[in-house]
Amino acid sequence: MTNKVVDFINLHRDRYVDELKEYLAIPSISALPQHAADVRRTAEWTSTEMTKVGLQNVRLIETPGNPVVYGEWLGAAGAPTILFYGHYDVQPVDPLDKWISPPFEATVRDGEIYARGSADDKGQIFMHFKALEAWLKEAGTLPVNIKLFIEGEEEVGSTHLDTFVQENRDLLKADVVVISDSPMFDRGVPSICYGLRGLAYFQIDLKGTNSDLHSGSFGGAVANPAFVLGQILAQMKDKGGRIKIPGFYDDVRALQDEERAEWKKLPFNETRYRKDLGAPKLFGESGYTTLERVWARPTFEVNGLLAGFTGEGAKTVIAAEARAKVSMRLVPDQTPQEIERKAVRHLKSLAPKSVKVSVQAVHGAVPWIAATDHPALEAAGRAMRRAFGRSPVFVRDGGSIPIVPAFERALGVPVVLMGFGLPDDNLHAPNEKMEIEQFLKGIEASAYLMQEPGSSSTPTPRVARRSRR
């Protein structure tokens, strides 16, 4: 039966791309209040699509934030249950002028579909929709039970999801959770992710005077918040890239020698990596390789700066206020709460009395790492091998998916990160894309996974690489 299912997938590939374009056209930017109606419209589109492919009990479930979309097919008596998770919200598109084609008008160029959400995460959850459709159209049934749980707040930290999962444990009960929201190791190298970094995200606000001041009339009399902000941020790292927040590294779990040795075996071309990024030179914490830095070491990064006049031409002002948005990626066994406490205390200690400083924690996520010898991961490995023609490798990922540890805590089942993006898909950046062949192979892999979950008759994959977000 699987061959017929795969034939159905290949027969309908052009239709899948056209349908995905419709999904990508809705600007479901959860971070921007002006798109609240678009976010809900995307939830409704998701619900309609889940019903069309044959899922039952499909509904929108309200939360204090954006609605969750739930659907199920539970007709395989005695078979395991897979819970597929994904998110329908997307990142903002700034800077808009860097997009070659409009971010919400999906455009195919050179075998790749360009649009916000194509890889993160609409394109990847759509793969599971189409795999389910293929099974139900060809076989009239599924070999396993399926639940789908698609949320709309992942890009703003999944603020309400911990509570939702805890309160809906019976509804979401499953034998394994499968998430497709991460990249593969490389083109042609399928991967299963076993580790994610956590996150602590802050906004730093400095206020100097009641309003902007003429820099000639008042320059030299008051502190410039923009300049003070620059001085504070410059003190957060030393020249070797090590973060100077007191106690920041106290709970960092050391990399295992075996893990480091496995990563060194990978065909990672640092020169190509640098050139693909357009970086004159790579930089990071001394004493670690590039892969170790992006997978298993914590960071402090400035994500945005705002102060004074930023338009064309000149305006000679001393800004009254300055603002920075910063994020820290965390690793086991750091926690957002402890890092927030240490970071806020340190940031405030660096601010002079000539400005007022406030630090607001925006959102956080705990780091996650999984055992690599669970039968569910092996079943996913077999599905990936059947679709891509080679066994997958185990990877860690530099990004954060806040719901992953929440699933483990609440449901007590393994989480499998089975992603189909590529490292150069420009997630969170202009010109986000998804390779169409990856999209179609992802549908196949999802269809294969539904046929053989939970078995452990093959060796586990080896350990591997590559970064996200």
Side-chain angles (χ1 to χ4, degrees), residues 76 110 163 165 170 178 191 200 202 234 237 251 312 344-345 358 381 426 432-433 435 466:
D110 300 322
T163 301
V165 173
D170 290 341
V178 174
S191 318
F202 295 88
K237 292 182 184 178
D251 298 318
E312 294 291 330
V344 169
R345 184 174 59 191
S358 63
N426 299 321
E432 180 183 344
K433 64 182 180 60
E435 190 173 284
R466 198 112 176 171

PDB file of all heavy atoms in Angstrom, residues 76 110 163 165 170 178 191 200 202 234 237 251 312 344-345 358 381 426 432-433 435 466:
ATOM      1  N   ALA A  76      -7.391   3.322  14.186  1.00  0.00           N
ATOM      2  CA  ALA A  76      -6.485   2.162  14.119  1.00  0.00           C
ATOM      3  C   ALA A  76      -6.432   1.508  15.491  1.00  0.00           C
ATOM      4  O   ALA A  76      -5.548   1.783  16.308  1.00  0.00           O
ATOM      5  CB  ALA A  76      -5.097   2.597  13.663  1.00  0.00           C
ATOM      6  N   ASP A 110      14.034  28.654  -9.353  1.00  0.00           N
ATOM      7  CA  ASP A 110      15.073  27.618  -9.354  1.00  0.00           C
ATOM      8  C   ASP A 110      14.734  26.458  -8.427  1.00  0.00           C
ATOM      9  O   ASP A 110      15.585  25.956  -7.671  1.00  0.00           O
ATOM     10  CB  ASP A 110      16.427  28.224  -8.952  1.00  0.00           C
ATOM     11  CG  ASP A 110      16.881  29.323  -9.906  1.00  0.00           C
ATOM     12  OD1 ASP A 110      16.649  29.173 -11.121  1.00  0.00           O
ATOM     13  OD2 ASP A 110      17.441  30.320  -9.427  1.00  0.00           O
ATOM     14  N   THR A 163       0.667  25.804  29.906  1.00  0.00           N
ATOM     15  CA  THR A 163      -0.600  25.644  30.621  1.00  0.00           C
ATOM     16  C   THR A 163      -1.591  24.832  29.794  1.00  0.00           C
ATOM     17  O   THR A 163      -2.273  23.939  30.310  1.00  0.00           O
ATOM     18  CB  THR A 163      -1.198  27.022  30.961  1.00  0.00           C
ATOM     19  OG1 THR A 163      -0.276  27.746  31.767  1.00  0.00           O
ATOM     20  CG2 THR A 163      -2.513  26.872  31.703  1.00  0.00           C
ATOM     21  N   VAL A 165      -1.042  22.572  27.443  1.00  0.00           N
ATOM     22  CA  VAL A 165      -0.673  21.151  27.383  1.00  0.00           C
ATOM     23  C   VAL A 165      -0.979  20.472  28.716  1.00  0.00           C
ATOM     24  O   VAL A 165      -1.508  19.353  28.754  1.00  0.00           O
ATOM     25  CB  VAL A 165       0.803  20.998  26.991  1.00  0.00           C
ATOM     26  CG1 VAL A 165       1.236  19.542  27.095  1.00  0.00           C
ATOM     27  CG2 VAL A 165       1.025  21.496  25.562  1.00  0.00           C
ATOM     28  N   ASP A 170      -5.140  14.663  28.529  1.00  0.00           N
ATOM     29  CA  ASP A 170      -5.942  13.551  28.003  1.00  0.00           C
ATOM     30  C   ASP A 170      -6.199  13.720  26.511  1.00  0.00           C
ATOM     31  O   ASP A 170      -6.139  12.757  25.734  1.00  0.00           O
ATOM     32  CB  ASP A 170      -7.266  13.442  28.757  1.00  0.00           C
ATOM     33  CG  ASP A 170      -7.080  12.962  30.190  1.00  0.00           C
ATOM     34  OD1 ASP A 170      -6.017  12.377  30.481  1.00  0.00           O
ATOM     35  OD2 ASP A 170      -7.985  13.201  31.017  1.00  0.00           O
ATOM     36  N   VAL A 178       5.852  14.100  17.302  1.00  0.00           N
ATOM     37  CA  VAL A 178       6.720  14.355  16.156  1.00  0.00           C
ATOM     38  C   VAL A 178       6.601  15.823  15.767  1.00  0.00           C
ATOM     39  O   VAL A 178       5.490  16.340  15.585  1.00  0.00           O
ATOM     40  CB  VAL A 178       6.364  13.455  14.959  1.00  0.00           C
ATOM     41  CG1 VAL A 178       7.193  13.832  13.719  1.00  0.00           C
ATOM     42  CG2 VAL A 178       6.598  11.987  15.307  1.00  0.00           C
ATOM     43  N   SER A 191      18.308  14.142   8.813  1.00  0.00           N
ATOM     44  CA  SER A 191      18.751  14.311  10.194  1.00  0.00           C
ATOM     45  C   SER A 191      17.588  14.172  11.152  1.00  0.00           C
ATOM     46  O   SER A 191      16.442  14.440  10.817  1.00  0.00           O
ATOM     47  CB  SER A 191      19.367  15.702  10.394  1.00  0.00           C
ATOM     48  OG  SER A 191      20.200  16.068   9.327  1.00  0.00           O
ATOM     49  N   ALA A 200      16.610  33.205  26.639  1.00  0.00           N
ATOM     50  CA  ALA A 200      16.183  34.276  27.543  1.00  0.00           C
ATOM     51  C   ALA A 200      16.243  35.565  26.736  1.00  0.00           C
ATOM     52  O   ALA A 200      17.317  35.967  26.288  1.00  0.00           O
ATOM     53  CB  ALA A 200      17.091  34.360  28.768  1.00  0.00           C
ATOM     54  N   PHE A 202      15.319  39.715  26.288  1.00  0.00           N
ATOM     55  CA  PHE A 202      15.125  40.917  27.088  1.00  0.00           C
ATOM     56  C   PHE A 202      14.960  42.155  26.218  1.00  0.00           C
ATOM     57  O   PHE A 202      15.446  42.203  25.086  1.00  0.00           O
ATOM     58  CB  PHE A 202      16.352  41.185  27.980  1.00  0.00           C
ATOM     59  CG  PHE A 202      16.598  40.140  29.016  1.00  0.00           C
ATOM     60  CD1 PHE A 202      17.370  39.028  28.728  1.00  0.00           C
ATOM     61  CD2 PHE A 202      16.073  40.280  30.278  1.00  0.00           C
ATOM     62  CE1 PHE A 202      17.596  38.068  29.687  1.00  0.00           C
ATOM     63  CE2 PHE A 202      16.304  39.328  31.246  1.00  0.00           C
ATOM     64  CZ  PHE A 202      17.068  38.217  30.952  1.00  0.00           C
ATOM     65  N   ALA A 234      28.880  46.788  25.176  1.00  0.00           N
ATOM     66  CA  ALA A 234      30.271  46.432  24.904  1.00  0.00           C
ATOM     67  C   ALA A 234      30.922  45.696  26.070  1.00  0.00           C
ATOM     68  O   ALA A 234      31.934  45.000  25.885  1.00  0.00           O
ATOM     69  CB  ALA A 234      31.073  47.678  24.559  1.00  0.00           C
ATOM     70  N   LYS A 237      30.669  41.060  26.793  1.00  0.00           N
ATOM     71  CA  LYS A 237      31.563  39.977  26.360  1.00  0.00           C
ATOM     72  C   LYS A 237      32.997  40.462  26.412  1.00  0.00           C
ATOM     73  O   LYS A 237      33.262  41.664  26.243  1.00  0.00           O
ATOM     74  CB  LYS A 237      31.258  39.538  24.921  1.00  0.00           C
ATOM     75  CG  LYS A 237      29.945  38.850  24.681  1.00  0.00           C
ATOM     76  CD  LYS A 237      29.843  38.453  23.214  1.00  0.00           C
ATOM     77  CE  LYS A 237      28.507  37.843  22.870  1.00  0.00           C
ATOM     78  NZ  LYS A 237      28.414  37.497  21.432  1.00  0.00           N
ATOM     79  N   ASP A 251      26.000  26.751  35.457  1.00  0.00           N
ATOM     80  CA  ASP A 251      25.210  25.534  35.252  1.00  0.00           C
ATOM     81  C   ASP A 251      25.363  24.925  33.862  1.00  0.00           C
ATOM     82  O   ASP A 251      24.598  24.032  33.490  1.00  0.00           O
ATOM     83  CB  ASP A 251      23.731  25.843  35.504  1.00  0.00           C
ATOM     84  CG  ASP A 251      23.471  26.301  36.929  1.00  0.00           C
ATOM     85  OD1 ASP A 251      24.066  25.701  37.846  1.00  0.00           O
ATOM     86  OD2 ASP A 251      22.703  27.265  37.115  1.00  0.00           O
ATOM     87  N   GLU A 312      16.755  59.506   6.676  1.00  0.00           N
ATOM     88  CA  GLU A 312      17.711  60.053   5.723  1.00  0.00           C
ATOM     89  C   GLU A 312      18.144  61.450   6.160  1.00  0.00           C
ATOM     90  O   GLU A 312      17.393  62.195   6.783  1.00  0.00           O
ATOM     91  CB  GLU A 312      17.081  60.127   4.326  1.00  0.00           C
ATOM     92  CG  GLU A 312      16.770  58.779   3.709  1.00  0.00           C
ATOM     93  CD  GLU A 312      18.017  58.002   3.350  1.00  0.00           C
ATOM     94  OE1 GLU A 312      19.041  58.630   3.028  1.00  0.00           O
ATOM     95  OE2 GLU A 312      17.974  56.743   3.397  1.00  0.00           O
ATOM     96  N   VAL A 344      19.791  40.632  34.570  1.00  0.00           N
ATOM     97  CA  VAL A 344      19.180  41.903  34.966  1.00  0.00           C
ATOM     98  C   VAL A 344      20.038  42.594  36.027  1.00  0.00           C
ATOM     99  O   VAL A 344      20.295  43.802  35.956  1.00  0.00           O
ATOM    100  CB  VAL A 344      17.744  41.670  35.479  1.00  0.00           C
ATOM    101  CG1 VAL A 344      17.203  42.933  36.130  1.00  0.00           C
ATOM    102  CG2 VAL A 344      16.835  41.236  34.337  1.00  0.00           C
ATOM    103  N   ARG A 345      20.487  41.830  36.988  1.00  0.00           N
ATOM    104  CA  ARG A 345      21.327  42.416  38.039  1.00  0.00           C
ATOM    105  C   ARG A 345      22.601  43.013  37.462  1.00  0.00           C
ATOM    106  O   ARG A 345      23.025  44.117  37.819  1.00  0.00           O
ATOM    107  CB  ARG A 345      21.667  41.345  39.078  1.00  0.00           C
ATOM    108  CG  ARG A 345      22.470  41.866  40.281  1.00  0.00           C
ATOM    109  CD  ARG A 345      22.622  40.784  41.322  1.00  0.00           C
ATOM    110  NE  ARG A 345      23.297  39.611  40.783  1.00  0.00           N
ATOM    111  CZ  ARG A 345      23.370  38.432  41.419  1.00  0.00           C
ATOM    112  NH1 ARG A 345      22.760  38.284  42.600  1.00  0.00           N
ATOM    113  NH2 ARG A 345      24.007  37.420  40.872  1.00  0.00           N
ATOM    114  N   SER A 358      15.815  50.301  32.699  1.00  0.00           N
ATOM    115  CA  SER A 358      14.859  49.248  33.034  1.00  0.00           C
ATOM    116  C   SER A 358      15.111  48.075  32.107  1.00  0.00           C
ATOM    117  O   SER A 358      15.483  48.249  30.942  1.00  0.00           O
ATOM    118  CB  SER A 358      13.417  49.735  32.894  1.00  0.00           C
ATOM    119  OG  SER A 358      13.129  50.078  31.550  1.00  0.00           O
ATOM    120  N   GLY A 381      14.077   7.288  11.919  1.00  0.00           N
ATOM    121  CA  GLY A 381      15.253   7.099  11.079  1.00  0.00           C
ATOM    122  C   GLY A 381      14.971   6.224   9.875  1.00  0.00           C
ATOM    123  O   GLY A 381      15.436   6.500   8.760  1.00  0.00           O
ATOM    124  N   ASN A 426      17.113  30.563   5.181  1.00  0.00           N
ATOM    125  CA  ASN A 426      16.891  31.964   5.599  1.00  0.00           C
ATOM    126  C   ASN A 426      15.741  32.111   6.598  1.00  0.00           C
ATOM    127  O   ASN A 426      14.937  33.051   6.505  1.00  0.00           O
ATOM    128  CB  ASN A 426      16.627  32.859   4.378  1.00  0.00           C
ATOM    129  CG  ASN A 426      17.775  32.878   3.404  1.00  0.00           C
ATOM    130  OD1 ASN A 426      18.933  32.891   3.797  1.00  0.00           O
ATOM    131  ND2 ASN A 426      17.458  32.843   2.119  1.00  0.00           N
ATOM    132  N   GLU A 432      13.144  33.950   2.953  1.00  0.00           N
ATOM    133  CA  GLU A 432      12.947  32.589   3.469  1.00  0.00           C
ATOM    134  C   GLU A 432      12.440  31.705   2.336  1.00  0.00           C
ATOM    135  O   GLU A 432      11.660  32.145   1.483  1.00  0.00           O
ATOM    136  CB  GLU A 432      11.933  32.609   4.614  1.00  0.00           C
ATOM    137  CG  GLU A 432      11.675  31.238   5.211  1.00  0.00           C
ATOM    138  CD  GLU A 432      10.617  31.262   6.310  1.00  0.00           C
ATOM    139  OE1 GLU A 432      10.302  32.358   6.820  1.00  0.00           O
ATOM    140  OE2 GLU A 432      10.103  30.176   6.648  1.00  0.00           O
ATOM    141  N   LYS A 433      12.873  30.440   2.339  1.00  0.00           N
ATOM    142  CA  LYS A 433      12.514  29.561   1.233  1.00  0.00           C
ATOM    143  C   LYS A 433      12.436  28.111   1.685  1.00  0.00           C
ATOM    144  O   LYS A 433      12.893  27.747   2.774  1.00  0.00           O
ATOM    145  CB  LYS A 433      13.546  29.670   0.108  1.00  0.00           C
ATOM    146  CG  LYS A 433      14.930  29.191   0.512  1.00  0.00           C
ATOM    147  CD  LYS A 433      15.939  29.362  -0.603  1.00  0.00           C
ATOM    148  CE  LYS A 433      17.317  28.872  -0.188  1.00  0.00           C
ATOM    149  NZ  LYS A 433      17.338  27.435   0.181  1.00  0.00           N
ATOM    150  N   GLU A 435      13.041  24.314  -0.452  1.00  0.00           N
ATOM    151  CA  GLU A 435      13.284  23.610  -1.706  1.00  0.00           C
ATOM    152  C   GLU A 435      12.120  22.665  -1.967  1.00  0.00           C
ATOM    153  O   GLU A 435      11.730  21.882  -1.087  1.00  0.00           O
ATOM    154  CB  GLU A 435      14.606  22.844  -1.615  1.00  0.00           C
ATOM    155  CG  GLU A 435      15.067  22.276  -2.933  1.00  0.00           C
ATOM    156  CD  GLU A 435      16.464  21.681  -2.845  1.00  0.00           C
ATOM    157  OE1 GLU A 435      17.438  22.455  -2.819  1.00  0.00           O
ATOM    158  OE2 GLU A 435      16.555  20.442  -2.775  1.00  0.00           O
ATOM    159  N   ARG A 466      24.162  20.826  12.827  1.00  0.00           N
ATOM    160  CA  ARG A 466      23.852  22.051  12.106  1.00  0.00           C
ATOM    161  C   ARG A 466      22.870  22.925  12.810  1.00  0.00           C
ATOM    162  O   ARG A 466      22.031  22.474  13.568  1.00  0.00           O
ATOM    163  CB  ARG A 466      23.411  21.813  10.684  1.00  0.00           C
ATOM    164  CG  ARG A 466      23.522  23.095   9.838  1.00  0.00           C
ATOM    165  CD  ARG A 466      24.570  22.984   8.818  1.00  0.00           C
ATOM    166  NE  ARG A 466      24.602  24.133   7.986  1.00  0.00           N
ATOM    167  CZ  ARG A 466      25.549  24.367   7.118  1.00  0.00           C
ATOM    168  NH1 ARG A 466      26.523  23.517   6.971  1.00  0.00           N
ATOM    169  NH2 ARG A 466      25.555  25.430   6.403  1.00  0.00           N
TER     170      ARG A 466
END
